[in-house]
Amino acid sequence: MKTVNLSVCQMMVVENKEDNLKKAESMIRRSVLENKANLVVLPEIFNGPYSIEAMQATAEPEGGPTTQLLSRLAAELNIVVVGGSIAEAADDRIYNTAFIYNEVGERVGRHRKMHLFDVNIVGGVSFQESSIVAPGNDVTVVETSLGKIGVAICYDMRFPELMRLMTLQGAEMIVVPAAFNTTTGPAHWKDTIKMRAVDNQVFFAAASPARNLASDYHAYGFSQVVDPWGTVLAETDETEGIITATLNPQRLTAVREQLPLLKHRRTDLYELKECQ
Ligand SMILES: NC(=O)CC(=O)C(=O)O
C-alpha cells in the first residue's frame, strides 16, 4: 500500500435527501482541501435516515443522483471515495450498498451489506433490516492505487470470519461505513474496531453518522481510525465533524513482521474458506 491520508466524514444525516447530498459534498471537499485526504469515507445510509420507511423512500439505482455525485467528486478531487452506503434499488429489491470510486470517477467496487441488522434488545434498540433490505453475498476487497481496501457495512464488522476472509484476500485497510446506536455503541463499538484491527493486523476505519436526536434511530457517532497494532490514530465524539489519519504502510509491515499472527495460523488444523 501507499501512504494514505484517510478522512472520515461523520455527517449529521437529516430527513431531506438533497440536504444530505449537499452536506456530503461539502465535507468531502473539506477533507481534501483542509486535510489533504486521498481517501474519503462516508457513513452508512448517509443520504437519508437509517430507518425502514426512509430507506424505502430514498432508494435509488446505481447511476442515480447519489452515485453520480460521488463519482464526479472522486474524479474532480482526484481521490478514492468509499461512498458510505445508500439504499440501492436493484433487481426489484433494496440493498444496503457501498459504492467505491477511484480518482477518475470509475466505480471500482460495490459492497452489499451481507449481515442484516435484525435485533430486538430489551430496553434498547429494535430493528428489522431484513423487512426491507436483501442481503449481499460477496466479500469485497477493492484494488485501488492506494492499496487493497476491504469494505463491509456496519453489522458485517461483528463477524470476524468476514474480516479475516478480506485479510486473506489481501486487504491492508478495512473500511466500514456504519451506524451503531446508543444501545450497542457504548457496549461494543470501540472494542470491535480495535479487535478486528488487531486480529487481522490491518488499518481499520469505521465511519458513523453524527448523533441526530431528532431522528428515530440514534447513531452512536465516535468514528475511529485504528492502526494494525490497535492504536487509535483518530477519533471523535457524537457530533458532526471530520477526522483524518495518516496510514503509514511501514507500520503495517512492521507489525506483521514483529508479531506474525497471520503466519502462525494452524492451517493444518483449521481453515476458513469462502463458499462459492
Ligand atoms: N446498524 C447495524 O447494522 C449494526 C449495529 O448497530 C450493531 O451491530 O450494533
Side-chain angles (χ1 to χ4, degrees):
M1 67 180 276
K2 290 194 183 145
T3 301
V4 175
N5 272 341
L6 183 157
S7 282
V8 171
C9 301
Q10 181 168 294
M11 57 181 278
M12 178 69 79
V13 175
V14 295
E15 201 74 34
N16 185 282
K17 191 172 185 175
E18 276 181 24
D19 290 345
N20 291 321
L21 295 185
K22 279 187 199 141
K23 176 63 67 68
E25 174 166 1
S26 83
M27 291 184 87
I28 292 172
R29 287 188 185 282
R30 279 177 45 213
S31 299
V32 177
L33 298 176
E34 293 169 18
N35 304 303
K36 303 201 175 350
N38 51 10
L39 171 59
V40 181
V41 185
L42 297 173
E44 181 178 26
I45 306 292
F46 73 92
N47 63 358
Y50 183 52
S51 74
I52 302 305
E53 301 72 32
M55 281 196 278
Q56 200 142 29
T58 56
E60 61 177 89
E62 183 173 9
T66 305
T67 51
Q68 276 183 37
L69 172 73
L70 296 175
S71 163
R72 178 167 59 75
L73 288 173
E76 182 194 323
L77 299 169
N78 195 32
I79 56 171
V80 175
V81 173
V82 176
S85 76
I86 64 169
E88 179 206 6
D91 319 324
D92 293 324
R93 294 167 162 206
I94 293 176
Y95 298 95
N96 183 340
T97 306
F99 291 94
I100 302 104
Y101 295 90
N102 69 9
E103 295 90 338
V104 291
E106 280 168 0
R107 194 263 266 167
V108 286
R110 177 189 73 190
H111 179 74
R112 289 176 169 160
K113 190 176 187 177
M114 294 169 84
H115 303 88
L116 300 180
F117 190 48
D118 289 350
V119 300
N120 189 4
I121 297 169
V122 176
V125 69
S126 284
F127 206 83
Q128 289 299 316
E129 189 164 32
S130 69
S131 67
I132 173 134
V133 174
N137 298 317
D138 296 314
V139 178
T140 306
V141 178
V142 186
E143 185 97 49
T144 73
S145 64
L146 304 174
K148 284 195 174 179
I149 309 177
V151 179
I153 299 176
C154 201
Y155 198 49
D156 284 337
M157 80 191 216
R158 288 186 181 269
F159 297 84
E161 301 91 334
L162 172 60
M163 304 290 116
R164 177 53 59 85
L165 272 174
M166 294 196 291
T167 305
L168 296 178
Q169 290 181 14
E172 295 149 314
M173 304 160 255
I174 293 181
V175 170
V176 182
F180 273 36
N181 49 77
T182 47
T183 305
T184 60
H188 303 147
W189 174 252
K190 290 183 186 176
D191 293 335
T192 306
I193 294 169
K194 182 170 186 168
M195 287 323 300
R196 295 297 104 84
V198 170
D199 284 347
N200 295 297
Q201 306 189 304
V202 290
F203 291 100
F204 199 102
S208 173
R211 191 174 307 164
N212 182 351
L213 294 176
S215 70
D216 291 343
Y217 186 92
H218 296 165
Y220 181 53
F222 290 88
S223 296
Q224 274 199 345
V225 185
V226 173
D227 82 0
W229 186 252
T231 306
V232 176
L233 301 179
E235 65 180 329
T236 185
D237 54 19
E238 74 281 10
T239 60
E240 183 168 88
I242 299 171
I243 55 170
T244 303
T246 300
L247 317 187
N248 184 338
Q250 283 152 11
R251 181 68 173 151
L252 184 128
T253 309
V255 170
R256 288 187 176 186
E257 270 173 19
Q258 292 167 30
L259 178 65
L261 286 184
L262 297 170
K263 284 191 190 141
H264 288 165
R265 289 175 306 117
R266 289 293 307 272
T267 48
D268 53 329
L269 298 179
Y270 54 77
E271 66 175 340
L272 183 62
K273 61 177 186 217
E274 189 178 354
C275 303
Q276 296 308 318

